[in-house]
Amino acid sequence: FWKTVSICTDHLPKEKPGYLMGVGYQVELVVCSALGCDMYDCVFPTRTARFGSALVRTGQLQLKNKMFSEDLSPIDDQCSCLTCKTYSRAYLHFLLCVDTTA
């Protein structure tokens, strides 16, 4: 898979964005970014979030776990994005655990 990506990115113009479809895991995102891909059609972030995980610099946080129910710290204290600056781990834990079915 990565050899094919490498061959393709070697032949694409470097000044244009590289788009890759079908990436499914975080290691693939990292390796393909290093190979020159810039944009992805990737199920990994959506699938990961759907099951209650947050991606942080140190790996994944399983925010559905009870240990986060009272954790008022940011998702990633080194991240400056709006979500990390605004919402705590406890708040996301609550959202993930509340029954939203009618």
Side-chain angles (χ1 to χ4, degrees), residues 1 6 8-9 11-12 17 27 29 36 39-40 45 60-61 65 68 75 80 83 87 89 94-95 100:
F1 165 72
S6 180
C8 292
T9 55
H11 289 87
L12 293 171
V27 68
L29 289 169
M39 298 180 294
Y40 302 92
Q60 292 184 29
L61 298 177
N65 289 350
F68 294 111
I75 301 159
S80 61
T83 301
Y87 302 107
R89 295 173 179 190
F94 166 77
L95 291 178
T100 59

Side-chain angles (χ1 to χ4, degrees), residues 47-88:
R47 182 183 61 223
T48 302
R50 184 181 313 126
F51 293 110
S53 294
L55 303 176
V56 295
R57 296 171 199 274
T58 57
Q60 292 184 29
L61 298 177
Q62 302 298 326
L63 291 172
K64 282 187 175 181
N65 289 350
K66 185 164 178 57
M67 65 184 280
F68 294 111
S69 65
E70 297 181 21
D71 186 345
L72 298 177
S73 60
I75 301 159
D76 183 346
D77 61 1
Q78 295 181 9
C79 180
S80 61
C81 79
L82 182 63
T83 301
C84 287
K85 290 191 322 188
T86 308
Y87 302 107
S88 69

Side-chain angles (χ1 to χ4, degrees), residues 18-33:
Y19 175 72
L20 181 62
M21 294 177 66
V23 179
Y25 298 98
Q26 64 195 79
V27 68
E28 293 172 348
L29 289 169
V30 172
V31 171
C32 292
S33 293

